[in-house]
């Protein structure tokens, strides 16, 4: 089936509201909360309108103004259509909803439909629909026309001159769909029992005569149609051809060596994203509306109040802080004011036109008075830069939507020229690098062009690539090669897999191959299990199903969201036969790699809230919690040799074979035991005064801060000094912020922490300042709420310290979005939330 043009469609829904549509039926609902079966009674009309509303919701969901529809009802008590007004006849047919882009009002009007006490003629209703459609479109021949008839077929049909109606549908290229309530369907395996004779005659007329004479027509059972519309649907739309030119060589200065080929481009693939949600709020009533509502309530007190909702829209205002925060001479005097949030009287509102646009570069902004930097003097078209072997192209460089490049359909010479290039690229096994400019003076895009040889046409497939500045190269240590301190390659180690382990893993990967795990084809060969064309994205289709269901259901408690369609869940779990077949390789991997289940350790809170030494190796440190974190391998530590405990019979490598990755181990803490209080005990190695004796390697350890964990850069003896010193090193900001946050929390929650309250306030102030300036806003906004939660606990807790934090005020609270915006960052806290945080 050829792809349809997206939008530019007028669909006419012809709905039967005759007396017979008022008959009731029992409909199965989704299971309840406890899995119980549930049913509901509804009329044929209510049941049929589910299909109509789904199709209209699909139009609303796509959001195209060129996707329009109208509703014609027949079997109504009144007659209201343009043919009857001009020529008479066509009784009991009403133009219920005029042709327009559908909206929520369209769905609401459909809910108001009720069965009548008379019958109508579906042929008359289709003629009225075609006439209304033709009058609306006029001479727009490129638009797609559709007519959807929904009926139970139990009303009388005037069979005179029905052939003329079918002929008119063919002349206008109208696609006809007939959806019948309880129509027989052999494929669906449904036959209505005790069907009336006149309904059987009408059904045979639609299936064997009318639809057979309409070129583009289909007829189906309503139950089957409702089941099919819940199936995830991927629509293929036809992209518009855009005129362009492919240049080879320099056409401006070397015209004799260059050439231009007239081409057309269109989309091959397009990125699809889930629909964004809009926010609504109750719209406050004006004085006139309140007065009118009060008068109406005086007349009828039982009338319900009407609540009006309005969509929330973002509004941006710009303010400038009038205080000069960059005066170096007054830096010390206004230090406290700098950290505080500016007051409303210090802010001056400015208009957008008075601002200068800036571009972010690192943590700063580069002003651009003109609004943008000078553009390159580019020229519209695609310039072929060169060719590269297809084998050397890195697949991850193809990033973005794919575009077709065709030879101009109206220019045979251009088609032959492009086809020659495509065939030559295919035979040589090369790809072309192209520079695409969508318009004169616009920014260029680099991309790669691949040859595509279809049955009747040759073309190029173009996909964008990143520029060199957009590619970041990260280096990682080798996964299959380890070296010791002498530079010698280690061949056997716990981090290196053995040949037996590699073989076991290869067998496991081969056993889980999905390429031959599907059903057998006609020749008896196994097919692939996962077909990407039949795999659907749940984030699109399940969300769409939920939105459609909520739009037509008034009470979700009695009519909850039905379960996902089985096709949506089809590839969620691997095939059972394949898993069973691969079980032996799985067991072999478990045995070869010695995989063992590690039970989760449940932490129990101490009743007394104090820490006690376990062994001689663990010192009694009352100002911190026992460290449970593993040593970091990315930060330098003091040179410490792991000690072998008595009675340990395990073999260890000698000093020469010791690798850097295994250097850090469990060690005894060196130096004098700290005092059993949170006060500072020993000077940090980083705080040696100028002129102090430099120790050699053997005596270096005596200055190591005994209150600094092996995996940290910040110690508990003098955390603020360690913090500032490590910041001067650079490239460790995230690690320093993480360690400083952990140290502050450990000191504050330790016994006798009140002795260091002032110091910890200084640490918090400095930490917040660094987080704001170094784009670590998320780290601060994550740490502070958790820190508050720990302080407010009854055990161990420290409510006294948190009260001191509250006294410091706003300059130590979470970072708001306004503060983050000034420093080029983002915060999830508003200014109001930041103020309330300390209350």
């Amino acid at each position: 089936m050829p792809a349809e043009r997206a939008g530019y469609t007028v669909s006419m829904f012809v709905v039967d509201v005759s007396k017979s549509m008022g008959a009731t039926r029992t409909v199965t609902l989704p299971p309840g909360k406890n899995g119980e079966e549930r049913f509901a009674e509804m009329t044929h009309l209510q049941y049929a309108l589910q299909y109509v509303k789904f199709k209209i919701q699909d139009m609303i969901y796509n959001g195209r103004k060129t996707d329009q529809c109208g509703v014609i009802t027949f079997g109504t008590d009144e007659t209201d259509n343009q043919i009857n007004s001009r020529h008479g006849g066509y009784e009991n047919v009403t133009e219920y909803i005029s042709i327009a882009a559908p909206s929520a009002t369209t769905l609401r009007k459909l809910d108001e439909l009720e069965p009548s006490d008379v019958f109508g003629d579906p042929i008359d209703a289709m003629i009225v629909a075609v006439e209304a459609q033709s009058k609306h479109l006029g001479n727009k021949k490129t638009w797609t026309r559709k007519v959807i008839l929904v009926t139970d077929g139990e009303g009388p049909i005037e069979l005179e001159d029905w052939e003329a109606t079918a002929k008119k549908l063919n002349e206008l290229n109208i696609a006809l769909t007939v959806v019948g309530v309880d129509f027989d369907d052999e494929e669906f395996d449904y036959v209505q029992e005790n069907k009336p004779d006149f309904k059987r005659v009408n059904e045979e007329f639609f299936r064997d005569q009318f639809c057979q004479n309409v070129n583009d027509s289909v007829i189906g059972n309503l139950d089957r149609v409702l089941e099919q519309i819940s199936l995830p649907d991927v629509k293929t739309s036809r992209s518009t051809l855009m005129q362009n030119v492919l240049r080879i060589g320099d056409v401006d200065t070397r015209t004799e060596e260059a050439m231009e080929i007239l081409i057309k481009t269109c989309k091959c693939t397009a990125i699809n994203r889930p629909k964004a949600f809009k926010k609504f709020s109750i719209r406050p009533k004006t004085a006139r509306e309140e007065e009118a509502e009060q008068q109406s309530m005086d007349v009828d007190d039982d009338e319900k109040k009407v609540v009006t909702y309005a969509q929330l829209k973002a509004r941006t205002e710009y303010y400038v802080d009038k205080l000069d925060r960059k005066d170096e001479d007054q830096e010390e005097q206004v230090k406290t004011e700098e950290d505080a949030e500016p007051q409303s009287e210090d802010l001056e509102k400015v208009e957008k036109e008075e601002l200068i646009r800036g571009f972010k570069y690192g943590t700063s902004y580069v002003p651009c008075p003109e609004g943008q930097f000078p553009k390159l003097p580019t020229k519209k078209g695609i310039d072929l830069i060169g060719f590269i072997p297809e084998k050397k192209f890195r697949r991850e460089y193809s990033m973005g939507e794919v575009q077709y490049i065709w030879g101009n359909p109206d220019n045979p010479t251009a088609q032959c020229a492009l086809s020659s290039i495509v065939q030559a690229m295919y035979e040589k096994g090369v790809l072309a690098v192209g520079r695409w400019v969508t318009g004169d003076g616009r920014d260029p895009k680099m991309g790669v062009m691949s040859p595509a040889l279809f049955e009747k046409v040759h073309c190029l497939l173009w996909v964008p690539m990143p520029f060199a500045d957009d590619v970041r190269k990260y280096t990682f240590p080798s996964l299959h090669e380890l070296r010791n301190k002498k530079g010698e390659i280690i061949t056997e180690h716990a981090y290196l897999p053995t040949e037996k382990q590699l073989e076991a893993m290869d067998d496991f990967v081969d056993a889980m191959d999905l390429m031959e795990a599907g059903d057998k084809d006609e020749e008896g060969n196994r097919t692939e299990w996962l077909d990407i064309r039949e795999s659907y994205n749940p984030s699109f289709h399940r969300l769409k199903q939920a939105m459609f269901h909520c739009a037509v259901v008034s009470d979700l408690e009695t009519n909850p969201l039905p379960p996902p369609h089985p096709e949506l869940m089809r590839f969620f779990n691997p095939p059972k036969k394949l898993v069973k077949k691969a079980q032996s390789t799985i067991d072999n991997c478990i045995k070869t790699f010695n995989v063992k289940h590690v039970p989760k350790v449940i932490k129990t809170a101490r009743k007394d809230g104090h820490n006690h030494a376990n062994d001689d190796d663990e010192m009694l440190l009352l100002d911190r919690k026992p460290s449970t974190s593993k040593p970091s391998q990315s930060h330098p530590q003091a040179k410490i040799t792991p000690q072998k405990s008595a009675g340990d019979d395990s073999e260890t490598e000698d000093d020469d074979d010791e690798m850097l990755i295994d250097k850090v181990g469990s060690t005894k803490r060196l130096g004098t035991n700290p005092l059993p209080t949170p006060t500072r005990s020993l000077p940090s190695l980083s705080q040696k005064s100028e002129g102090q004796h430099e120790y050699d390697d053997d005596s270096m350890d005596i200055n190591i801060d005994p209150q600094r964990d092996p995996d940290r850069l910040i110690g508990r003896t003098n955390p603020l000094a360690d913090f500032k010193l490590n910041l001067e090193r650079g490239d460790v900001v995230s690690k320093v912020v993480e360690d400083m946050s952990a140290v502050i929390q450990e000191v504050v929650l330790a016994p006798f922490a009140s002795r260091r309250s002032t110091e910890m306030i200084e640490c918090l102030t400095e930490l917040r300042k660094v987080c704001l300036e170094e784009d670590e806003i998320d780290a601060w906004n994550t740490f502070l709420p958790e820190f508050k939660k720990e302080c407010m606990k009854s055990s161990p807790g420290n409510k006294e310290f948190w009260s001191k934090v509250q006294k410091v005020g706003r300059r130590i609270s979470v970072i708001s979005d306004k503060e983050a915006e000034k420093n080029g960052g983002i915060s999830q806290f508003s200014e109001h939330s930041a103020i309330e945080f300390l209350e």
Side-chain angles (χ1 to χ4, degrees):
M1 182 178 178
E4 294 183 358
R5 186 183 182 187
Y8 300 94
T9 302
V10 173
S11 303
M12 298 300 298
F13 294 94
V14 182
V15 182
D16 188 358
V17 294
S18 301
K19 182 178 180 180
S20 58
M21 293 292 285
T24 58
R25 62 191 296 129
T26 302
V27 178
T28 304
L29 297 178
K33 296 181 179 180
N34 299 325
E36 68 276 8
E37 295 184 352
R38 301 188 306 119
F39 304 93
E41 292 286 336
M42 63 178 63
T43 63
H44 289 337
L45 179 60
Q46 292 173 332
Y47 191 54
L49 285 177
Q50 291 184 8
Y51 168 74
V52 179
K53 288 189 285 187
F54 183 92
K55 300 297 289 186
I56 293 178
Q57 283 180 105
D58 201 19
M59 300 179 192
I60 300 174
Y61 185 82
N62 293 330
R64 300 187 185 99
K65 294 183 179 179
T66 55
D67 212 353
Q68 302 176 358
C69 71
V71 179
I72 306 295
T73 57
F74 65 96
T76 56
D77 295 326
E78 302 84 10
T79 300
D80 182 12
N81 62 81
Q82 51 187 312
I83 301 181
N84 176 267
S85 302
R86 294 197 303 263
H87 308 291
Y90 300 90
E91 302 291 338
N92 305 113
V93 179
T94 302
E95 295 183 20
Y96 186 63
I97 299 177
S98 301
I99 299 175
S103 62
T105 306
T106 308
L107 298 175
R108 187 164 57 249
K109 291 193 68 176
L110 287 174
D111 291 332
E112 298 173 359
L113 284 175
E114 295 290 342
S116 65
D117 296 328
V118 297
F119 288 92
D121 190 348
I123 302 297
D124 288 349
M126 279 193 285
I127 295 174
V128 172
V130 172
E131 181 66 21
Q133 192 179 58
S134 300
K135 184 178 179 181
H136 179 77
L137 290 177
N139 297 325
K140 298 177 181 178
K141 297 181 180 180
T142 58
W143 282 56
T144 302
R145 308 184 183 205
K146 296 181 180 180
V147 172
I148 299 99
L149 173 64
V150 182
T151 179
D152 60 358
E154 296 188 11
I157 301 177
E158 182 60 49
L159 300 180
E160 184 179 356
D161 295 334
W162 64 266
E163 295 90 347
T165 304
K167 183 178 180 181
K168 188 66 174 178
L169 293 175
N170 293 332
E171 290 178 358
L172 298 174
N173 296 322
I174 296 177
L176 173 65
T177 301
V178 179
V179 179
V181 180
D182 295 332
F183 275 23
D184 294 343
D185 194 326
E186 295 180 359
E187 296 182 5
F188 191 58
D189 194 19
Y190 174 80
V191 177
Q192 183 182 6
E193 299 179 356
N194 302 323
K195 180 175 293 186
D197 294 336
F198 59 87
K199 180 175 181 178
R200 182 177 292 105
V201 172
N202 291 342
E203 191 174 328
E204 292 176 355
F205 163 72
F206 280 118
R207 180 179 293 106
D208 301 333
Q209 298 184 51
F210 194 82
C211 289
Q212 290 294 331
N213 285 270
V214 178
N215 296 334
D216 191 3
S217 63
V218 64
I219 183 171
N221 177 274
L222 177 61
D223 294 324
R224 183 184 182 186
V225 170
L226 289 176
E227 181 179 312
Q228 288 179 340
I229 60 178
S230 62
L231 177 70
D233 183 25
V234 178
K235 293 183 178 180
T236 304
S237 57
R238 186 172 67 248
S239 179
T240 305
L241 291 174
M242 305 296 292
Q243 188 171 354
N244 213 321
V245 59
L246 176 64
R247 291 186 289 267
I248 303 177
D250 190 353
V251 297
D252 294 328
T253 60
R254 298 186 178 182
T255 56
E256 66 281 356
E257 300 177 1
M259 65 180 299
E260 289 184 338
I261 303 175
L262 299 179
I263 60 173
K264 294 276 190 177
T265 62
C266 66
K267 285 186 177 182
C268 175
T269 61
I271 298 176
N272 190 17
R273 294 181 175 88
K275 290 292 182 180
F277 288 93
K278 298 178 180 178
K279 295 183 179 180
F280 290 83
S281 178
I282 299 178
R283 184 176 65 86
K285 296 182 175 62
T286 61
R288 182 178 298 179
E289 289 176 341
E290 291 181 353
E291 182 179 354
E293 182 180 353
Q294 186 64 32
Q295 293 177 357
S296 62
M297 292 178 62
D298 295 339
V299 175
D300 187 1
D301 294 338
D302 296 333
E303 185 179 355
K304 294 182 179 180
K305 295 182 179 180
V306 179
V307 180
T308 305
Y309 288 88
Q311 181 181 346
L312 299 180
K313 296 183 180 180
R315 185 181 65 183
T316 305
E317 295 181 350
Y318 301 92
Y319 293 87
V320 174
D321 188 2
K322 292 185 293 185
L323 296 178
D324 185 9
R325 295 171 174 265
K326 296 183 179 181
D327 191 354
E328 297 181 357
D329 297 336
Q330 302 178 359
E331 181 177 359
E332 296 297 330
Q333 301 177 8
V334 298
K335 181 177 180 181
T336 305
E337 298 179 3
E338 287 181 0
D339 297 330
E341 182 68 18
Q343 302 298 324
S344 57
E345 58 271 12
D346 299 331
L347 300 178
E348 179 181 359
K349 185 177 180 180
V350 295
E351 299 298 331
K352 184 178 180 180
E353 292 75 14
E354 302 178 17
L355 301 177
I356 297 177
R357 189 177 184 182
F359 293 87
K360 189 175 182 181
Y361 185 78
T363 58
S364 61
Y365 286 89
V366 179
C368 184
E370 300 297 330
Q372 60 183 6
F373 294 104
K375 293 185 176 181
L376 296 173
T378 55
K379 184 179 180 181
K380 180 181 178 181
I382 303 175
D383 294 291
L384 200 153
I385 305 300
F387 298 94
I388 56 175
E390 186 176 1
K391 296 180 179 179
K392 293 185 178 180
F393 177 71
R394 300 181 63 172
R395 183 63 180 83
E396 67 272 16
Y397 281 175
S398 57
M399 305 169 60
E401 301 178 350
V402 183
Q403 300 266 359
Y404 284 118
I405 299 178
W406 315 91
N408 195 319
D410 301 328
N411 192 324
T413 304
Q415 295 181 40
C416 293
L418 184 66
S419 177
S420 301
I421 296 175
V422 172
Q423 293 184 60
M425 291 173 58
Y426 180 79
E427 293 176 1
K428 294 292 185 180
V430 298
L431 303 176
V433 178
R435 181 174 179 265
W436 190 328
V437 179
T438 57
D440 293 343
R442 295 188 179 180
D443 295 334
K445 298 179 181 179
M446 295 300 295
V448 61
M449 293 180 283
S450 173
L453 282 72
F454 297 111
E455 184 178 355
K456 296 182 179 181
V457 66
H458 297 166
C459 66
L460 293 171
L461 297 177
W462 186 90
V463 61
M465 294 191 304
F467 287 94
D469 293 340
D470 299 328
V471 179
R472 298 185 179 181
K473 297 181 180 180
Y474 297 96
T475 57
F476 299 95
S478 175
L479 297 176
H480 55 80
E481 183 179 288
L482 293 179
R483 295 177 181 269
N484 58 16
K485 291 190 296 184
K486 293 182 178 180
E488 300 172 347
I489 298 179
I490 303 297
T491 57
E492 294 184 2
H493 192 268
Y495 296 145
L496 295 175
T498 63
E499 291 296 331
K500 188 177 181 180
Q501 290 174 339
L502 291 174
E503 183 179 352
M505 183 54 65
D506 287 340
D507 294 341
F508 171 66
V509 173
D510 294 339
M512 294 301 293
D513 186 6
L514 300 176
M515 294 304 296
E516 296 182 356
D519 299 329
K520 293 183 179 180
D521 57 12
E522 298 177 354
E523 300 178 357
N525 299 324
R526 287 284 181 180
T527 60
E528 61 181 12
W529 176 73
L530 175 60
D531 189 348
I532 193 65
R533 295 168 296 182
E534 299 177 0
S535 177
Y536 306 100
N537 191 333
S539 64
F540 297 129
H541 302 285
R542 184 59 171 167
L543 177 60
K544 181 179 178 180
Q545 182 186 9
M547 293 174 64
F548 283 18
H549 181 77
C550 295
V552 298
V553 172
S554 57
D555 187 4
L556 289 175
E557 291 292 334
T558 58
N559 193 0
L561 178 68
H565 195 278
E567 285 296 322
L568 193 62
M569 313 290 292
R570 180 177 171 186
F571 299 112
F572 268 47
N573 298 310
K576 295 181 180 179
K577 293 182 179 180
L578 185 67
V579 176
K580 185 177 180 181
K581 183 179 178 181
Q583 188 60 45
S584 59
T585 60
I586 297 175
D587 296 337
N588 185 32
C589 284
I590 295 175
K591 181 180 178 181
T592 304
F593 288 93
N594 194 23
V595 179
K596 296 180 180 179
H597 175 69
V598 180
K600 185 178 180 180
V601 179
I602 302 177
K603 296 181 180 181
T604 56
R606 298 181 182 272
K607 295 182 179 180
D608 53 5
H610 291 277
N611 299 325
H612 300 279
N614 297 324
D615 300 315
D616 294 336
D617 291 344
E618 183 70 18
M619 294 186 299
L620 179 61
L621 302 179
L622 299 180
D623 63 333
R624 68 176 179 90
K625 295 181 180 179
S627 176
T628 59
S629 57
K630 296 182 179 180
S632 173
Q633 301 169 2
S634 59
H635 301 283
Q637 299 292 340
K639 184 176 181 181
I640 301 174
T641 303
Q643 302 293 329
K644 183 176 180 181
S645 58
D648 188 0
D649 298 332
S650 60
E651 297 181 1
T652 59
E653 296 178 311
D654 52 37
D655 199 35
D656 291 338
D657 290 339
E658 180 189 358
M659 294 186 303
L660 296 178
I661 198 169
D662 293 320
K663 178 178 289 188
V664 181
S666 59
T667 61
K668 292 184 178 181
R669 301 195 179 276
L670 304 178
T672 309
N673 289 342
L675 297 175
T677 66
T679 56
R680 300 166 182 165
S681 54
L682 284 178
S684 173
L685 177 63
S686 60
Q687 300 303 313
K688 292 189 297 183
S689 59
E690 295 183 5
Q692 187 176 351
H693 176 68
E694 297 291 337
Y695 296 92
D696 55 16
D697 292 341
D698 296 333
S699 60
M700 181 73 74
D701 292 337
I702 63 173
N703 280 323
I704 294 179
D705 181 6
Q707 297 197 62
R708 186 179 71 185
D709 292 347
D711 61 331
R712 288 183 181 167
L713 302 178
I714 307 296
R716 284 176 292 276
T717 302
N718 201 336
L720 189 58
D722 291 347
F723 183 69
K724 293 180 179 180
L725 184 66
N726 281 282
L727 285 177
E728 296 177 0
R729 293 173 48 193
D731 299 329
V732 291
V733 177
S734 299
K735 175 63 177 174
V736 172
V737 169
E738 177 186 355
D739 292 351
M740 188 65 167
S741 303
V743 168
I744 292 174
Q745 183 165 323
E746 291 175 1
V747 173
V748 170
L749 298 181
F752 310 104
S754 58
R755 301 182 182 182
R756 302 183 64 177
S757 296
T758 304
E759 179 192 357
M760 291 300 104
I761 292 293
E762 295 176 0
C763 291
L764 284 173
T765 304
E766 186 66 21
L767 177 61
R768 185 185 191 275
K769 180 181 178 182
V770 171
C771 288
L772 183 60
E773 295 175 352
E774 299 294 338
D775 200 16
E776 294 290 336
I777 297 173
D778 288 341
W780 172 261
N781 286 346
T782 302
F783 156 71
L784 195 62
E786 183 66 24
F787 178 63
K788 175 183 178 182
K789 182 179 178 181
E790 295 295 330
C791 288
M792 299 306 292
K793 284 184 178 180
S794 57
S795 178
N798 196 337
K799 297 181 180 179
E800 181 182 355
F801 179 79
W802 186 254
S803 63
K804 294 182 180 180
V805 173
Q806 290 176 318
K807 291 180 181 179
V808 175
R810 174 67 184 82
R811 63 188 179 91
I812 207 173
S813 180
V814 292
I815 299 174
S816 66
D817 50 0
K818 290 185 178 179
E819 292 178 288
E821 186 178 359
K822 291 180 181 179
N823 289 270
I826 300 175
S827 172
Q828 71 273 27
F829 291 96
S830 63
E831 185 61 29
H832 182 69
S833 301
I835 296 175
E836 287 185 343
F837 180 79
L838 294 176
E839 295 179 358

